Structures are given as C-alpha cells and as structure tokens.
Amino acid sequence: MKSIILAGGSGTRLWPLSREKYPKQFLKLNETSLFQDTVIRCLEISGISEIFVVTNESQKFFVSGQIEELGYDIPKENILLEPVGKNTLPAITYGMHEIKMLFGKAVVGIFSSDHILDKNAMLTIKESESLASEYLLTFGIEPTSPHTGYGYIKPSEQIGIGYKVSEFREKPDATTARKYIEEGCLWNSGMFLFDTDVFFEELEKYEPDIAAEFTNSEDIKEIYEKIYSISIDYGIMERSDRIAVVKLQERWSDLGNFNSIYEEFEKDANSNLVYNCDDVLIDSPGNLIYSKQDKVVSLIDVTNMIVVDTPDALLICPKTSSQKVKDVVSALKDTNDERAELHQTVYRPWGSYTILENSDGHKIKNIVVLPQKKLSLQLHHHRSEHWVVVKGMACVQADEEHYFLRQGESTFIRAGMKHRLSNPGKVPLEIIEVQLGDYVEEDDIIRFDDDYGRE
C-alpha cells in the first residue's frame, strides 16, 4: 500500500502560531509536529519510499527536514511540488499519477498532514484494502458531538467492512448536526483509500478535462495552468456511484481552530491548557494560553479565552470566536503586512534565523546553522554583515579566503563580497549577525552556488 500526504495550507486558522509560509502541520504542539505524526502513521502501511508528499516550493524544506528529523530519508522525487494550490482534487490526482507511473496499479491511502488520528486506525485502513478494488473509499468518524465544523456522510447498505454512501452533507448548524447524528451520519474525515485504476476511471468519467491534462503533458506547470481549482468531494466523491465509507472509532480531529486544540489536549485541574510559559491564573478557568517568550502570563477573572503570545503578534479572543482568526490574516494581507506570512523566526533548509531588531538601516539576527549544513555562496549589494559566534564553530568563505571562527570570535563581510557560512561541526552553530546598509531586506541577495536548488 502506498501513501499520499497532502501538506499545503495557508496558515490562517492558527495564526499567529501558524503563518502562510509556516502552516499548522509543521507546528510542534508536542515533541513532534502534526506532519511528522502523519508520516509515522503512514509508515504503518507504507515504506518510506512509498510515501509521497504533495506540497509547494516554500514548504518543501520543512517536509524533507522534518522527515530527516525522524531518521528517514525520503526520495527527492517523492516530494511533489504544486506550482499553485488548486484544492484537493488536483493535488490528489498529481500524487496518484506519479504513483501509477512508478508502480503501476496500486492501492493508495490519502491523508491530510494536519490531523490528529490515533495510530490504531491504520489497522482498520489496512483491513479496508480489499474494498478499494471496487469502490473509492472514504473514512467516517463516529461523532462525539453535534459538531458544526465538519461535513457529514450518511452510510447505507453494508458491504464487508464498510458501507455504501447514500449522501454527503455540508457543514450544518447545531440543530441540523444533531439530526444528522440521530440518522447515523458520520463526520467526513477527508481521508481516502483509492485504487489507481478505479480512481482514474472515475476521474475520466466526472472530470475528463483534468484527467486529459495529466495524460497529455508531463510538465506540471503547464498542467496546473490549464486545470481549475476543485475539491475531491465536489469533483468526484459527491457524484460517483462507486463510493463507500468505513467507520473509524479512534480519536480524530482536523484541528481547525484554537478551540479544537483546546478540546483535544490535556488540561490542568482548572481546565486550562497552558503551553511554553509560567502562569499565574486567579479565578480564570477554561483558557488556552500559549507564549514562546519565557514570561509569566497572568489572568484574573478571565474565563474561556484564547491568549496566544508570539514575539511579533498577540491574539486574544473568546474560544467560541476562534474561527474568526482567518479574518485577522485577511486584514493583514490587505495591508501587505508580512506578519501574515512569516514569523520573526524563519526556517531555511540549513537551519533558521530570528530577527531580533530591525530598522530601515540595520537588522540584527540570531542565526542557527544545523550540523554539516551550509548557506549558499552569495553576495549583497546594499549591506555589510558582522558575524559573532555564540556557540559552535563556523567555517567562513570570504571571496577566496577560507577560515574558521570559534565561540566569541567575529568577522566582517563587506558589501559586494562573495561569502558563505557553514557548520562543519556536530552541534548547531549559533551566530549573531548585524546587517548595516541602505537596504537590508531579504531580496538583496545574489546566489552563486546553493546545495538546495534555490535561485
């Protein structure tokens, strides 16, 4: 059995923890991220070379880096880059097409990278494989409440381990959700099990234009220019008569907002969920509190609120209003505020940097380079850079000169000088970089050589 992990996302629903270029699947709410948890689950049914990840250019290094953290080396060709997001049907078709080209006929599990799912559910998914030769399978979750944030599936005639699907239903209001549960409906999990032959038969039947583009061209950019945005549900699942659903009774959530996080994770004795900070809470139960600043967060007579504090943004709202967070992101985008897209800490394939101070004429960064990694050979026209090693050992290339810097030592890189920073050691390299110049933005860079294929 093969696996496709859908790992796109816009980072809007858990802002400011997630951002457009750091969506929620890469957040580490526990020791591992949601994406890493998905990979671990997929390894229950697939080898690492049989797992394919559909993502985009800005997130490909999160994908490879977080898989590497787990101790696995995924083939580069298994990371499929969409030129632009066009919803789930094109993304799934891209993955299914590549798997068919490499393996021929195969059964493929399709999973979102930002869901919580008990690993035991993979046993049920394995046991469903025989049904996939005849049906497109989806997986329904036994509802625990009349949830208004999920779509619903109504099962009918039983067929083996699953049921034929009589109807897909959109997200309801609370009264309608209770009615759906009374009728035996299931939550729509957005997970699937498809046989490549059955999938492409149904794709050609219901979305022949998309099928034709993947058949007629090998240029993914050209294909995506011609196809339209459409979900797998609208494109095939709600139209085909070859759909079956298998019930999953294990714990599942799509973590669609902060309220979902609050519901899913363990709280303290006063029903507070507190991350990464000390807290002094006086008569303040039922809150979700997150801070990454090693500070004391204190609340007095505050109930059922979300408080999320990051270095560059603060969110405060009632838990019941957490679905409106995406409206904040929209407002920031309307004013071209980069805080909709980026954290102060920005992740790169070689490590990360955190902006400590910024003005029109200077910028101060804390840079961390992972062991055995190096930045591109580059130059800047408008700024010079001072580097001071805080921890580890740096290898510096400055024009034709190569030298090492150790803790407490520093160097100066003038504007126009070709330079490269690398970490030859076994521990992370940490430096403080002070940029000075008439322009200190990230696009003042010319790359001459890069290990990661960036231009």
Side-chain angles (χ1 to χ4, degrees):
M1 191 180 293
K2 320 304 179 190
S3 296
I4 294 172
I5 299 174
L6 304 178
S10 57
T12 60
R13 294 193 287 178
L14 295 185
W15 185 91
L17 290 187
S18 64
R19 309 288 171 102
E20 183 174 322
K21 294 188 177 177
Y22 192 64
K24 66 177 177 178
Q25 62 261 29
F26 301 115
L27 293 173
K28 292 186 177 180
L29 298 172
N30 290 313
E31 292 183 2
T32 50
S33 70
L34 297 172
F35 172 75
Q36 289 174 316
D37 292 341
T38 307
V39 172
I40 292 168
R41 288 196 299 271
C42 287
L43 288 168
E44 294 289 311
I45 61 173
S46 307
I48 190 64
S49 64
E50 299 172 316
I51 296 174
F52 291 74
V53 183
V54 183
T55 185
N56 54 57
E57 180 69 32
S58 67
Q59 295 168 23
K60 68 178 181 180
F61 297 116
F62 295 133
V63 168
S64 58
Q66 291 204 348
I67 292 176
E68 185 179 322
E69 282 183 16
L70 295 175
Y72 298 97
D73 184 15
I74 189 170
K76 289 182 179 180
E77 61 268 23
N78 288 27
I79 301 177
L80 307 178
L81 303 181
E82 291 187 291
V84 61
K86 292 206 170 179
N87 216 318
T88 51
L89 181 55
I92 291 170
T93 303
Y94 187 8
M96 294 292 287
H97 179 268
E98 295 302 304
I99 288 172
K100 188 174 182 179
M101 291 297 100
L102 282 171
F103 299 102
K105 179 179 170 65
V107 175
V108 185
I110 292 99
F111 307 96
S112 295
S113 61
D114 54 1
H115 290 184
I116 287 177
L117 178 66
D118 192 302
K119 194 166 69 171
N120 293 332
M122 303 309 284
L123 179 60
T124 303
I125 291 171
K126 275 185 183 180
E127 293 173 347
S128 305
E129 184 172 3
S130 60
L131 278 178
S133 62
E134 187 175 351
Y135 296 94
L136 296 175
L137 296 187
T138 185
F139 294 92
I141 307 298
E142 292 273 12
T144 57
S145 66
H147 205 295
T148 61
Y150 301 144
Y152 285 73
I153 301 170
K154 187 174 182 180
S156 58
E157 175 189 349
Q158 185 165 1
I159 43 170
I161 194 174
Y163 300 81
K164 290 185 176 180
V165 172
S166 63
E167 190 178 356
F168 284 85
R169 293 174 172 176
E170 299 299 319
K171 297 175 183 178
D173 57 32
T175 301
T176 306
R178 282 190 288 270
K179 179 184 175 184
Y180 288 171
I181 293 175
E182 291 171 1
E183 294 177 2
C185 291
L186 307 169
W187 289 339
N188 186 353
S189 71
M191 297 183 293
F192 308 97
L193 194 65
F194 294 157
D195 179 286
T196 49
D197 288 352
V198 177
F199 174 79
F200 283 106
E201 286 171 10
E202 296 302 278
L203 182 68
E204 289 170 4
K205 182 177 180 180
Y206 295 103
E207 291 295 340
D209 292 344
I210 293 177
E213 292 304 331
F214 276 91
T215 300
N216 297 335
S217 176
E218 296 181 358
D219 186 333
I220 195 64
K221 290 184 178 180
E222 180 181 321
I223 291 170
Y224 268 70
E225 285 174 359
K226 294 180 179 179
I227 63 177
Y228 35 84
S229 177
I230 187 171
S231 72
I232 184 72
D233 286 344
Y234 284 123
I236 296 179
M237 302 301 285
E238 295 181 8
R239 300 159 70 187
S240 172
D241 58 3
R242 300 176 68 182
I243 308 298
V245 61
V246 174
K247 294 181 181 180
L248 295 180
Q249 297 179 331
E250 287 80 7
R251 174 188 178 217
W252 170 88
S253 173
D254 72 347
L255 293 187
N257 53 46
F258 283 109
N259 200 35
S260 298
I261 291 179
Y262 177 83
E263 291 172 356
E264 286 300 323
F265 292 97
E266 185 176 351
K267 272 76 71 177
D268 63 19
N270 292 312
S271 298
N272 288 301
L273 179 60
V274 181
Y275 281 101
N276 291 352
C277 61
D278 297 321
D279 61 284
V280 177
L281 307 179
I282 298 173
D283 297 326
S284 297
N287 300 289
L288 186 157
I289 304 166
Y290 187 106
S291 176
K292 299 186 78 171
Q293 302 187 47
D294 298 321
K295 63 175 62 172
V296 175
V297 177
S298 57
L299 302 180
I300 301 173
D301 296 331
V302 173
T303 304
N304 296 327
M305 297 291 286
I306 293 167
V307 180
V308 179
D309 187 23
T310 69
D312 62 344
L314 172 64
L315 170 71
I316 301 173
C317 72
K319 292 208 303 281
T320 55
S321 300
S322 62
Q323 73 278 5
K324 297 180 181 179
V325 169
K326 62 181 182 296
D327 298 334
V328 176
V329 178
S330 295
L332 292 172
K333 286 186 174 182
D334 288 344
T335 59
N336 296 317
D337 194 316
E338 66 178 11
R339 285 169 292 191
E341 295 186 356
L342 297 170
H343 284 283
Q344 279 189 302
T345 297
V346 177
Y347 295 89
R348 291 288 187 254
W350 44 260
S352 64
Y353 67 82
T354 300
I355 299 173
L356 304 178
E357 190 173 312
N358 193 11
S359 77
D360 289 339
H362 86 287
K363 185 180 290 185
I364 302 175
K365 293 180 177 178
N366 178 278
I367 296 176
V368 176
V369 184
L370 298 172
Q372 306 300 311
K373 299 289 187 179
K374 58 185 175 182
L375 283 67
S376 58
L377 178 63
Q378 58 188 253
L379 68 76
H380 313 292
H381 288 299
H382 299 282
R383 70 174 187 254
S384 62
E385 297 176 343
H386 296 257
W387 296 344
V388 180
V389 176
V390 177
K391 184 173 68 175
M393 181 172 65
C395 178
V396 178
Q397 177 182 347
D399 284 335
E400 301 305 317
E401 186 179 4
H402 294 76
Y403 51 92
F404 293 96
L405 297 176
R406 291 169 176 80
Q407 187 178 43
E409 297 179 336
S410 62
T411 192
F412 173 72
I413 306 295
R414 69 178 184 274
M417 177 183 286
K418 282 187 181 180
H419 62 280
R420 182 173 229 160
L421 175 67
S422 60
N423 179 4
K426 296 182 179 180
V427 299
L429 164 67
E430 183 178 351
I431 73 167
I432 297 297
E433 176 182 88
V434 180
Q435 302 176 359
L436 295 170
D438 54 9
Y439 186 79
V440 291
E441 298 307 315
E442 297 304 317
D443 57 352
D444 176 24
I445 183 171
I446 296 177
R447 289 191 175 97
F448 299 94
D449 180 55
D450 183 68
D451 285 359
Y452 317 103
R454 298 172 298 173
E455 296 180 356

